[in-house]
């Protein structure tokens, strides 16, 4: 069916994030806003596909994650990173309208602007897995 889910996530794109998920049939668009340390902001948009019609369903997705972090010291600038994000996991609707889930977010950096203007270390090009758990309420 169609609908909206609201929720909290721990891990993944941030220590804690809030999100809204717009879904139709077995597909959704998941938007999240979070932070690692309250000196940064993480924003993510992911298209997801759910499989099966049971209470516990596998899910995969693909999207972008953008992080901005304020300068920590004088002479620094705001740092940014753009990361491609591919969550793979399981969504479990344990009670009508309430769901728990877990993901392994497979991430790869696309672009970075470091806060230290003298830091020209190249971005790491490997895949980085980050675990995430969440709670969602469906309206």
């Amino acid at each position: 069916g169609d609908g909206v889910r609201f929720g909290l996530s721990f891990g993944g794109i941030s220590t804690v994030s809030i999100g809204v998920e717009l879904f139709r049939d077995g597909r959704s668009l998941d938007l999240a806003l979070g932070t690692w340390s309250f000196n940064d902001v993480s924003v993510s948009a992911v298209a997801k596909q759910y499989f099966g019609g049971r209470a516990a369903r596998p899910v995969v997705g693909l999207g972008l994650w953008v992080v901005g972090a304020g300068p920590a010291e004088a002479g620094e600038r705001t740092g940014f990173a753009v990361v491609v994000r591919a969550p793979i996991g399981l969504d479990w609707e344990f009670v009508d309208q309430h769901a728990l889930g877990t993901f392994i977010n497979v991430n790869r950096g696309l672009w970075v602007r470091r806060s230290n203007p003298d830091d020209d270390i190249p971005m790491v090009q490997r895949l980085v897995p980050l675990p995430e758990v969440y709670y969602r309420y469906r309206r």
Side-chain angles (χ1 to χ4, degrees), residues 5 8-13 17 21 28 30-32 44 46-51 57-62 85-92 100-107 128-136:
R5 296 196 315 176
L8 289 173
S9 296
F10 303 94
I13 68 160
S17 65
E21 183 177 17
S28 74
D30 192 357
L31 306 170
S44 174
V46 176
K48 296 194 291 190
Q49 174 70 54
Y50 291 86
F51 299 96
R57 304 182 297 170
V59 58
V60 297
L62 186 63
R85 177 178 177 216
I88 303 164
L90 187 66
D91 183 87
W92 175 45
L100 294 174
T102 185
F103 284 122
I104 293 295
N105 291 283
V106 180
N107 304 289
V128 179
L130 295 173
E132 175 183 348
V133 296
Y134 64 83
Y135 164 78
R136 299 281 165 89

mmCIF file of all heavy atoms in Angstrom, residues 5 8-13 17 21 28 30-32 44 46-51 57-62 85-92 100-107 128-136:
data_model
loop_
_atom_site.group_PDB
_atom_site.id
_atom_site.type_symbol
_atom_site.label_atom_id
_atom_site.label_comp_id
_atom_site.label_asym_id
_atom_site.label_seq_id
_atom_site.Cartn_x
_atom_site.Cartn_y
_atom_site.Cartn_z
ATOM 1 N N ARG A 5 6.028 6.696 6.717
ATOM 2 C CA ARG A 5 6.557 6.217 7.993
ATOM 3 C C ARG A 5 7.516 7.262 8.544
ATOM 4 O O ARG A 5 8.270 7.879 7.795
ATOM 5 C CB ARG A 5 7.302 4.885 7.836
ATOM 6 C CG ARG A 5 6.431 3.769 7.393
ATOM 7 C CD ARG A 5 6.999 2.387 7.569
ATOM 8 N NE ARG A 5 8.369 2.191 7.157
ATOM 9 C CZ ARG A 5 9.011 1.035 7.333
ATOM 10 N NH1 ARG A 5 8.427 0.004 7.897
ATOM 11 N NH2 ARG A 5 10.264 0.904 6.936
ATOM 12 N N LEU A 8 13.192 6.969 13.967
ATOM 13 C CA LEU A 8 14.506 7.266 14.520
ATOM 14 C C LEU A 8 15.472 6.176 14.089
ATOM 15 O O LEU A 8 15.112 4.997 14.087
ATOM 16 C CB LEU A 8 14.467 7.285 16.045
ATOM 17 C CG LEU A 8 13.759 8.445 16.708
ATOM 18 C CD1 LEU A 8 13.671 8.201 18.211
ATOM 19 C CD2 LEU A 8 14.501 9.732 16.423
ATOM 20 N N SER A 9 16.695 6.583 13.755
ATOM 21 C CA SER A 9 17.741 5.634 13.389
ATOM 22 C C SER A 9 18.969 5.884 14.250
ATOM 23 O O SER A 9 19.249 7.028 14.636
ATOM 24 C CB SER A 9 18.131 5.790 11.925
ATOM 25 O OG SER A 9 17.065 5.469 11.091
ATOM 26 N N PHE A 10 19.690 4.814 14.525
ATOM 27 C CA PHE A 10 20.929 4.878 15.285
ATOM 28 C C PHE A 10 22.011 4.184 14.470
ATOM 29 O O PHE A 10 21.860 3.030 14.087
ATOM 30 C CB PHE A 10 20.760 4.218 16.654
ATOM 31 C CG PHE A 10 19.645 4.834 17.454
ATOM 32 C CD1 PHE A 10 18.368 4.304 17.418
ATOM 33 C CD2 PHE A 10 19.877 5.977 18.200
ATOM 34 C CE1 PHE A 10 17.335 4.885 18.132
ATOM 35 C CE2 PHE A 10 18.852 6.571 18.911
ATOM 36 C CZ PHE A 10 17.573 6.020 18.879
ATOM 37 N N GLY A 11 23.093 4.917 14.197
ATOM 38 C CA GLY A 11 24.149 4.391 13.341
ATOM 39 C C GLY A 11 23.881 4.751 11.891
ATOM 40 O O GLY A 11 23.001 5.545 11.578
ATOM 41 N N GLY A 12 24.638 4.146 11.001
ATOM 42 C CA GLY A 12 24.468 4.440 9.571
ATOM 43 C C GLY A 12 25.049 5.792 9.218
ATOM 44 O O GLY A 12 26.250 5.994 9.308
ATOM 45 N N ILE A 13 24.186 6.755 8.871
ATOM 46 C CA ILE A 13 24.666 8.070 8.443
ATOM 47 C C ILE A 13 25.016 8.982 9.608
ATOM 48 O O ILE A 13 25.554 10.062 9.396
ATOM 49 C CB ILE A 13 23.658 8.782 7.527
ATOM 50 C CG1 ILE A 13 22.393 9.176 8.280
ATOM 51 C CG2 ILE A 13 23.356 7.962 6.301
ATOM 52 C CD1 ILE A 13 21.582 10.257 7.605
ATOM 53 N N SER A 17 19.476 9.905 13.968
ATOM 54 C CA SER A 17 18.837 10.670 12.909
ATOM 55 C C SER A 17 17.318 10.483 12.977
ATOM 56 O O SER A 17 16.821 9.504 13.527
ATOM 57 C CB SER A 17 19.354 10.260 11.522
ATOM 58 O OG SER A 17 19.011 8.930 11.227
ATOM 59 N N GLU A 21 9.763 8.345 5.515
ATOM 60 C CA GLU A 21 9.824 7.425 4.387
ATOM 61 C C GLU A 21 8.465 7.443 3.678
ATOM 62 O O GLU A 21 7.437 7.171 4.289
ATOM 63 C CB GLU A 21 10.144 6.018 4.872
ATOM 64 C CG GLU A 21 10.296 5.014 3.783
ATOM 65 C CD GLU A 21 10.686 3.642 4.304
ATOM 66 O OE1 GLU A 21 10.536 3.379 5.512
ATOM 67 O OE2 GLU A 21 11.138 2.838 3.483
ATOM 68 N N SER A 28 10.105 2.727 -1.867
ATOM 69 C CA SER A 28 9.995 3.908 -1.009
ATOM 70 C C SER A 28 11.119 4.891 -1.299
ATOM 71 O O SER A 28 12.130 4.552 -1.903
ATOM 72 C CB SER A 28 10.038 3.504 0.465
ATOM 73 O OG SER A 28 11.341 3.150 0.857
ATOM 74 N N ASP A 30 13.336 7.300 1.157
ATOM 75 C CA ASP A 30 13.666 7.493 2.564
ATOM 76 C C ASP A 30 14.548 8.741 2.700
ATOM 77 O O ASP A 30 15.617 8.813 2.112
ATOM 78 C CB ASP A 30 14.410 6.260 3.074
ATOM 79 C CG ASP A 30 14.558 6.225 4.579
ATOM 80 O OD1 ASP A 30 14.133 7.175 5.254
ATOM 81 O OD2 ASP A 30 15.105 5.225 5.073
ATOM 82 N N LEU A 31 14.076 9.732 3.465
ATOM 83 C CA LEU A 31 14.809 10.976 3.695
ATOM 84 C C LEU A 31 15.197 11.031 5.170
ATOM 85 O O LEU A 31 14.346 10.795 6.035
ATOM 86 C CB LEU A 31 13.952 12.177 3.329
ATOM 87 C CG LEU A 31 13.372 12.157 1.923
ATOM 88 C CD1 LEU A 31 12.348 13.268 1.757
ATOM 89 C CD2 LEU A 31 14.463 12.262 0.888
ATOM 90 N N ALA A 32 16.459 11.340 5.458
ATOM 91 C CA ALA A 32 16.934 11.352 6.841
ATOM 92 C C ALA A 32 17.790 12.583 7.115
ATOM 93 O O ALA A 32 18.491 13.084 6.233
ATOM 94 C CB ALA A 32 17.744 10.088 7.135
ATOM 95 N N SER A 44 20.403 12.517 4.003
ATOM 96 C CA SER A 44 20.436 11.376 3.108
ATOM 97 C C SER A 44 19.100 11.214 2.392
ATOM 98 O O SER A 44 18.044 11.447 2.969
ATOM 99 C CB SER A 44 20.732 10.099 3.913
ATOM 100 O OG SER A 44 20.645 8.959 3.103
ATOM 101 N N VAL A 46 17.429 8.107 -0.056
ATOM 102 C CA VAL A 46 17.661 6.749 -0.555
ATOM 103 C C VAL A 46 16.369 6.195 -1.149
ATOM 104 O O VAL A 46 15.319 6.255 -0.508
ATOM 105 C CB VAL A 46 18.148 5.811 0.577
ATOM 106 C CG1 VAL A 46 18.290 4.384 0.081
ATOM 107 C CG2 VAL A 46 19.461 6.291 1.161
ATOM 108 N N ALA A 47 16.452 5.649 -2.354
ATOM 109 C CA ALA A 47 15.350 4.900 -2.944
ATOM 110 C C ALA A 47 15.520 3.451 -2.506
ATOM 111 O O ALA A 47 16.621 2.894 -2.596
ATOM 112 C CB ALA A 47 15.372 5.008 -4.461
ATOM 113 N N LYS A 48 14.424 2.840 -1.996
ATOM 114 C CA LYS A 48 14.508 1.474 -1.481
ATOM 115 C C LYS A 48 13.477 0.570 -2.140
ATOM 116 O O LYS A 48 12.419 1.027 -2.544
ATOM 117 C CB LYS A 48 14.298 1.457 0.034
ATOM 118 C CG LYS A 48 15.384 2.188 0.791
ATOM 119 C CD LYS A 48 15.388 1.910 2.268
ATOM 120 C CE LYS A 48 14.210 2.494 2.978
ATOM 121 N NZ LYS A 48 14.328 2.427 4.442
ATOM 122 N N GLN A 49 13.824 -0.709 -2.195
ATOM 123 C CA GLN A 49 12.931 -1.739 -2.705
ATOM 124 C C GLN A 49 12.778 -2.812 -1.629
ATOM 125 O O GLN A 49 13.768 -3.352 -1.147
ATOM 126 C CB GLN A 49 13.506 -2.372 -3.982
ATOM 127 C CG GLN A 49 12.725 -3.555 -4.508
ATOM 128 C CD GLN A 49 11.381 -3.157 -5.076
ATOM 129 O OE1 GLN A 49 11.300 -2.291 -5.933
ATOM 130 N NE2 GLN A 49 10.309 -3.787 -4.610
ATOM 131 N N TYR A 50 11.512 -3.087 -1.260
ATOM 132 C CA TYR A 50 11.200 -4.146 -0.300
ATOM 133 C C TYR A 50 10.792 -5.388 -1.068
ATOM 134 O O TYR A 50 10.164 -5.302 -2.121
ATOM 135 C CB TYR A 50 10.055 -3.707 0.620
ATOM 136 C CG TYR A 50 10.444 -2.606 1.562
ATOM 137 C CD1 TYR A 50 10.363 -1.276 1.178
ATOM 138 C CD2 TYR A 50 10.906 -2.899 2.836
ATOM 139 C CE1 TYR A 50 10.724 -0.262 2.043
ATOM 140 C CE2 TYR A 50 11.275 -1.888 3.706
ATOM 141 C CZ TYR A 50 11.178 -0.575 3.299
ATOM 142 O OH TYR A 50 11.544 0.422 4.158
ATOM 143 N N PHE A 51 11.101 -6.566 -0.504
ATOM 144 C CA PHE A 51 10.789 -7.835 -1.151
ATOM 145 C C PHE A 51 9.900 -8.667 -0.232
ATOM 146 O O PHE A 51 10.136 -8.737 0.970
ATOM 147 C CB PHE A 51 12.065 -8.608 -1.475
ATOM 148 C CG PHE A 51 12.967 -7.866 -2.416
ATOM 149 C CD1 PHE A 51 14.013 -7.099 -1.930
ATOM 150 C CD2 PHE A 51 12.747 -7.915 -3.781
ATOM 151 C CE1 PHE A 51 14.844 -6.401 -2.792
ATOM 152 C CE2 PHE A 51 13.573 -7.219 -4.651
ATOM 153 C CZ PHE A 51 14.620 -6.461 -4.152
ATOM 154 N N ARG A 57 10.711 -8.358 6.015
ATOM 155 C CA ARG A 57 11.008 -8.273 4.589
ATOM 156 C C ARG A 57 12.427 -7.795 4.345
ATOM 157 O O ARG A 57 12.870 -6.828 4.968
ATOM 158 C CB ARG A 57 10.066 -7.297 3.896
ATOM 159 C CG ARG A 57 8.613 -7.607 4.092
ATOM 160 C CD ARG A 57 7.725 -6.644 3.355
ATOM 161 N NE ARG A 57 7.891 -5.278 3.851
ATOM 162 C CZ ARG A 57 7.375 -4.210 3.254
ATOM 163 N NH1 ARG A 57 6.701 -4.332 2.145
ATOM 164 N NH2 ARG A 57 7.543 -3.017 3.763
ATOM 165 N N PRO A 58 13.128 -8.436 3.422
ATOM 166 C CA PRO A 58 14.434 -7.912 3.013
ATOM 167 C C PRO A 58 14.234 -6.600 2.253
ATOM 168 O O PRO A 58 13.199 -6.387 1.616
ATOM 169 C CB PRO A 58 14.995 -8.978 2.086
ATOM 170 C CG PRO A 58 14.094 -10.149 2.187
ATOM 171 C CD PRO A 58 12.813 -9.704 2.785
ATOM 172 N N VAL A 59 15.244 -5.742 2.336
ATOM 173 C CA VAL A 59 15.185 -4.448 1.662
ATOM 174 C C VAL A 59 16.586 -4.066 1.188
ATOM 175 O O VAL A 59 17.575 -4.355 1.856
ATOM 176 C CB VAL A 59 14.591 -3.361 2.594
ATOM 177 C CG1 VAL A 59 15.386 -3.223 3.857
ATOM 178 C CG2 VAL A 59 14.448 -2.036 1.899
ATOM 179 N N VAL A 60 16.650 -3.447 0.008
ATOM 180 C CA VAL A 60 17.893 -2.902 -0.527
ATOM 181 C C VAL A 60 17.613 -1.482 -1.007
ATOM 182 O O VAL A 60 16.469 -1.140 -1.314
ATOM 183 C CB VAL A 60 18.492 -3.742 -1.675
ATOM 184 C CG1 VAL A 60 18.876 -5.125 -1.192
ATOM 185 C CG2 VAL A 60 17.551 -3.813 -2.846
ATOM 186 N N GLY A 61 18.645 -0.676 -1.066
ATOM 187 C CA GLY A 61 18.449 0.692 -1.505
ATOM 188 C C GLY A 61 19.701 1.277 -2.129
ATOM 189 O O GLY A 61 20.774 0.676 -2.095
ATOM 190 N N LEU A 62 19.529 2.468 -2.680
ATOM 191 C CA LEU A 62 20.640 3.198 -3.271
ATOM 192 C C LEU A 62 20.323 4.682 -3.196
ATOM 193 O O LEU A 62 19.208 5.102 -3.524
ATOM 194 C CB LEU A 62 20.850 2.784 -4.730
ATOM 195 C CG LEU A 62 22.067 3.379 -5.430
ATOM 196 C CD1 LEU A 62 23.361 2.918 -4.753
ATOM 197 C CD2 LEU A 62 22.072 2.994 -6.889
ATOM 198 N N ARG A 85 25.399 5.728 -0.996
ATOM 199 C CA ARG A 85 24.984 4.866 0.115
ATOM 200 C C ARG A 85 24.098 3.752 -0.428
ATOM 201 O O ARG A 85 23.143 4.010 -1.160
ATOM 202 C CB ARG A 85 24.210 5.737 1.100
ATOM 203 C CG ARG A 85 23.639 5.035 2.271
ATOM 204 C CD ARG A 85 22.942 6.054 3.185
ATOM 205 N NE ARG A 85 22.330 5.350 4.279
ATOM 206 C CZ ARG A 85 21.185 5.691 4.834
ATOM 207 N NH1 ARG A 85 20.534 6.745 4.408
ATOM 208 N NH2 ARG A 85 20.693 4.990 5.817
ATOM 209 N N ALA A 86 24.413 2.497 -0.051
ATOM 210 C CA ALA A 86 23.629 1.339 -0.492
ATOM 211 C C ALA A 86 23.264 0.495 0.728
ATOM 212 O O ALA A 86 24.020 -0.387 1.123
ATOM 213 C CB ALA A 86 24.415 0.515 -1.506
ATOM 214 N N PRO A 87 22.102 0.766 1.354
ATOM 215 C CA PRO A 87 21.692 -0.035 2.506
ATOM 216 C C PRO A 87 21.124 -1.391 2.081
ATOM 217 O O PRO A 87 20.401 -1.498 1.103
ATOM 218 C CB PRO A 87 20.622 0.822 3.173
ATOM 219 C CG PRO A 87 20.090 1.700 2.102
ATOM 220 C CD PRO A 87 21.196 1.883 1.112
ATOM 221 N N ILE A 88 21.500 -2.418 2.846
ATOM 222 C CA ILE A 88 21.008 -3.784 2.649
ATOM 223 C C ILE A 88 20.555 -4.264 4.021
ATOM 224 O O ILE A 88 21.338 -4.206 4.980
ATOM 225 C CB ILE A 88 22.122 -4.700 2.121
ATOM 226 C CG1 ILE A 88 22.692 -4.143 0.816
ATOM 227 C CG2 ILE A 88 21.622 -6.128 1.949
ATOM 228 C CD1 ILE A 88 24.012 -4.746 0.422
ATOM 229 N N GLY A 89 19.305 -4.715 4.138
ATOM 230 C CA GLY A 89 18.870 -5.099 5.463
ATOM 231 C C GLY A 89 17.548 -5.822 5.531
ATOM 232 O O GLY A 89 17.073 -6.394 4.553
ATOM 233 N N LEU A 90 16.948 -5.749 6.729
ATOM 234 C CA LEU A 90 15.702 -6.432 7.034
ATOM 235 C C LEU A 90 14.789 -5.489 7.801
ATOM 236 O O LEU A 90 15.212 -4.849 8.770
ATOM 237 C CB LEU A 90 15.984 -7.680 7.878
ATOM 238 C CG LEU A 90 14.804 -8.594 8.150
ATOM 239 C CD1 LEU A 90 14.310 -9.246 6.865
ATOM 240 C CD2 LEU A 90 15.205 -9.656 9.155
ATOM 241 N N ASP A 91 13.526 -5.394 7.361
ATOM 242 C CA ASP A 91 12.513 -4.564 7.991
ATOM 243 C C ASP A 91 11.458 -5.501 8.583
ATOM 244 O O ASP A 91 10.949 -6.374 7.887
ATOM 245 C CB ASP A 91 11.886 -3.648 6.941
ATOM 246 C CG ASP A 91 10.869 -2.694 7.525
ATOM 247 O OD1 ASP A 91 11.282 -1.619 7.979
ATOM 248 O OD2 ASP A 91 9.666 -3.031 7.505
ATOM 249 N N TRP A 92 11.131 -5.308 9.860
ATOM 250 C CA TRP A 92 10.199 -6.199 10.552
ATOM 251 C C TRP A 92 9.075 -5.399 11.185
ATOM 252 O O TRP A 92 9.304 -4.635 12.120
ATOM 253 C CB TRP A 92 10.938 -6.998 11.616
ATOM 254 C CG TRP A 92 10.081 -7.869 12.474
ATOM 255 C CD1 TRP A 92 9.074 -8.697 12.082
ATOM 256 C CD2 TRP A 92 10.169 -8.000 13.890
ATOM 257 N NE1 TRP A 92 8.531 -9.342 13.163
ATOM 258 C CE2 TRP A 92 9.189 -8.936 14.297
ATOM 259 C CE3 TRP A 92 10.989 -7.425 14.863
ATOM 260 C CZ2 TRP A 92 8.998 -9.287 15.612
ATOM 261 C CZ3 TRP A 92 10.797 -7.789 16.180
ATOM 262 C CH2 TRP A 92 9.820 -8.710 16.544
ATOM 263 N N LEU A 100 10.685 -2.385 13.266
ATOM 264 C CA LEU A 100 12.102 -2.322 13.609
ATOM 265 C C LEU A 100 12.876 -2.821 12.401
ATOM 266 O O LEU A 100 12.378 -3.645 11.635
ATOM 267 C CB LEU A 100 12.423 -3.212 14.811
ATOM 268 C CG LEU A 100 11.809 -2.815 16.134
ATOM 269 C CD1 LEU A 100 12.103 -3.893 17.177
ATOM 270 C CD2 LEU A 100 12.338 -1.468 16.586
ATOM 271 N N GLY A 101 14.080 -2.333 12.252
ATOM 272 C CA GLY A 101 14.878 -2.786 11.128
ATOM 273 C C GLY A 101 16.355 -2.613 11.382
ATOM 274 O O GLY A 101 16.769 -1.940 12.325
ATOM 275 N N THR A 102 17.122 -3.239 10.527
ATOM 276 C CA THR A 102 18.565 -3.123 10.593
ATOM 277 C C THR A 102 19.129 -3.108 9.177
ATOM 278 O O THR A 102 18.568 -3.742 8.272
ATOM 279 C CB THR A 102 19.178 -4.268 11.424
ATOM 280 O OG1 THR A 102 20.572 -4.040 11.563
ATOM 281 C CG2 THR A 102 18.914 -5.625 10.814
ATOM 282 N N PHE A 103 20.186 -2.371 9.010
ATOM 283 C CA PHE A 103 20.875 -2.260 7.724
ATOM 284 C C PHE A 103 22.374 -2.413 7.926
ATOM 285 O O PHE A 103 22.907 -2.074 8.977
ATOM 286 C CB PHE A 103 20.700 -0.860 7.100
ATOM 287 C CG PHE A 103 19.371 -0.595 6.486
ATOM 288 C CD1 PHE A 103 18.609 0.465 6.933
ATOM 289 C CD2 PHE A 103 18.906 -1.355 5.443
ATOM 290 C CE1 PHE A 103 17.389 0.747 6.369
ATOM 291 C CE2 PHE A 103 17.682 -1.084 4.860
ATOM 292 C CZ PHE A 103 16.922 -0.026 5.326
ATOM 293 N N ILE A 104 23.015 -2.855 6.898
ATOM 294 C CA ILE A 104 24.442 -2.621 6.698
ATOM 295 C C ILE A 104 24.485 -1.640 5.534
ATOM 296 O O ILE A 104 24.032 -1.958 4.433
ATOM 297 C CB ILE A 104 25.223 -3.909 6.365
ATOM 298 C CG1 ILE A 104 25.243 -4.851 7.557
ATOM 299 C CG2 ILE A 104 26.650 -3.566 5.922
ATOM 300 C CD1 ILE A 104 25.985 -4.318 8.766
ATOM 301 N N ASN A 105 24.947 -0.445 5.802
ATOM 302 C CA ASN A 105 25.073 0.582 4.772
ATOM 303 C C ASN A 105 26.454 0.453 4.138
ATOM 304 O O ASN A 105 27.463 0.644 4.805
ATOM 305 C CB ASN A 105 24.934 1.975 5.387
ATOM 306 C CG ASN A 105 23.534 2.240 5.864
ATOM 307 O OD1 ASN A 105 22.663 2.515 5.055
ATOM 308 N ND2 ASN A 105 23.306 2.142 7.155
ATOM 309 N N VAL A 106 26.486 0.112 2.874
ATOM 310 C CA VAL A 106 27.746 0.037 2.136
ATOM 311 C C VAL A 106 27.934 1.404 1.487
ATOM 312 O O VAL A 106 27.110 1.837 0.684
ATOM 313 C CB VAL A 106 27.712 -1.092 1.096
ATOM 314 C CG1 VAL A 106 29.033 -1.159 0.346
ATOM 315 C CG2 VAL A 106 27.396 -2.426 1.769
ATOM 316 N N ASN A 107 29.018 2.096 1.871
ATOM 317 C CA ASN A 107 29.242 3.484 1.461
ATOM 318 C C ASN A 107 30.542 3.614 0.677
ATOM 319 O O ASN A 107 31.519 2.913 0.953
ATOM 320 C CB ASN A 107 29.338 4.378 2.699
ATOM 321 C CG ASN A 107 28.116 4.266 3.569
ATOM 322 O OD1 ASN A 107 27.050 4.733 3.217
ATOM 323 N ND2 ASN A 107 28.254 3.613 4.714
ATOM 324 N N VAL A 128 32.977 1.225 2.594
ATOM 325 C CA VAL A 128 32.955 1.319 4.052
ATOM 326 C C VAL A 128 31.574 0.878 4.550
ATOM 327 O O VAL A 128 30.582 1.548 4.275
ATOM 328 C CB VAL A 128 33.250 2.762 4.521
ATOM 329 C CG1 VAL A 128 33.191 2.854 6.034
ATOM 330 C CG2 VAL A 128 34.596 3.233 3.997
ATOM 331 N N PRO A 129 31.500 -0.258 5.280
ATOM 332 C CA PRO A 129 30.210 -0.694 5.815
ATOM 333 C C PRO A 129 29.931 -0.021 7.162
ATOM 334 O O PRO A 129 30.805 0.062 8.021
ATOM 335 C CB PRO A 129 30.394 -2.202 5.989
ATOM 336 C CG PRO A 129 31.859 -2.359 6.238
ATOM 337 C CD PRO A 129 32.543 -1.256 5.476
ATOM 338 N N LEU A 130 28.699 0.475 7.331
ATOM 339 C CA LEU A 130 28.284 1.070 8.597
ATOM 340 C C LEU A 130 26.947 0.464 9.010
ATOM 341 O O LEU A 130 25.977 0.518 8.253
ATOM 342 C CB LEU A 130 28.126 2.595 8.454
ATOM 343 C CG LEU A 130 29.385 3.386 8.158
ATOM 344 C CD1 LEU A 130 29.038 4.843 7.882
ATOM 345 C CD2 LEU A 130 30.365 3.290 9.310
ATOM 346 N N PRO A 131 26.866 -0.100 10.221
ATOM 347 C CA PRO A 131 25.606 -0.693 10.673
ATOM 348 C C PRO A 131 24.611 0.368 11.127
ATOM 349 O O PRO A 131 24.993 1.454 11.555
ATOM 350 C CB PRO A 131 26.038 -1.571 11.850
ATOM 351 C CG PRO A 131 27.265 -0.908 12.369
ATOM 352 C CD PRO A 131 27.951 -0.289 11.179
ATOM 353 N N GLU A 132 23.328 0.036 11.039
ATOM 354 C CA GLU A 132 22.256 0.937 11.445
ATOM 355 C C GLU A 132 21.084 0.111 11.976
ATOM 356 O O GLU A 132 20.792 -0.959 11.457
ATOM 357 C CB GLU A 132 21.794 1.753 10.241
ATOM 358 C CG GLU A 132 20.611 2.650 10.490
ATOM 359 C CD GLU A 132 20.158 3.378 9.241
ATOM 360 O OE1 GLU A 132 20.877 3.387 8.229
ATOM 361 O OE2 GLU A 132 19.057 3.950 9.283
ATOM 362 N N VAL A 133 20.434 0.612 13.010
ATOM 363 C CA VAL A 133 19.165 0.054 13.482
ATOM 364 C C VAL A 133 18.159 1.190 13.526
ATOM 365 O O VAL A 133 18.526 2.345 13.710
ATOM 366 C CB VAL A 133 19.278 -0.630 14.876
ATOM 367 C CG1 VAL A 133 20.187 -1.831 14.811
ATOM 368 C CG2 VAL A 133 19.735 0.340 15.932
ATOM 369 N N TYR A 134 16.866 0.844 13.356
ATOM 370 C CA TYR A 134 15.862 1.899 13.341
ATOM 371 C C TYR A 134 14.524 1.406 13.880
ATOM 372 O O TYR A 134 14.244 0.214 13.941
ATOM 373 C CB TYR A 134 15.678 2.477 11.944
ATOM 374 C CG TYR A 134 15.153 1.519 10.910
ATOM 375 C CD1 TYR A 134 13.781 1.267 10.783
ATOM 376 C CD2 TYR A 134 16.010 0.878 10.030
ATOM 377 C CE1 TYR A 134 13.296 0.400 9.833
ATOM 378 C CE2 TYR A 134 15.533 0.013 9.072
ATOM 379 C CZ TYR A 134 14.183 -0.224 8.972
ATOM 380 O OH TYR A 134 13.706 -1.084 8.029
ATOM 381 N N TYR A 135 13.714 2.397 14.245
ATOM 382 C CA TYR A 135 12.308 2.204 14.602
ATOM 383 C C TYR A 135 11.490 3.100 13.674
ATOM 384 O O TYR A 135 11.865 4.256 13.445
ATOM 385 C CB TYR A 135 12.033 2.601 16.060
ATOM 386 C CG TYR A 135 10.562 2.788 16.321
ATOM 387 C CD1 TYR A 135 9.732 1.695 16.505
ATOM 388 C CD2 TYR A 135 10.000 4.058 16.327
ATOM 389 C CE1 TYR A 135 8.363 1.866 16.695
ATOM 390 C CE2 TYR A 135 8.644 4.238 16.527
ATOM 391 C CZ TYR A 135 7.823 3.139 16.706
ATOM 392 O OH TYR A 135 6.483 3.307 16.892
ATOM 393 N N ARG A 136 10.378 2.595 13.133
ATOM 394 C CA ARG A 136 9.519 3.377 12.253
ATOM 395 C C ARG A 136 8.063 3.199 12.662
ATOM 396 O O ARG A 136 7.633 2.108 13.046
ATOM 397 C CB ARG A 136 9.641 2.923 10.787
ATOM 398 C CG ARG A 136 11.024 3.075 10.201
ATOM 399 C CD ARG A 136 11.301 4.505 9.808
ATOM 400 N NE ARG A 136 12.681 4.783 9.571
ATOM 401 C CZ ARG A 136 13.296 4.650 8.406
ATOM 402 N NH1 ARG A 136 12.644 4.212 7.374
ATOM 403 N NH2 ARG A 136 14.561 4.943 8.303
#
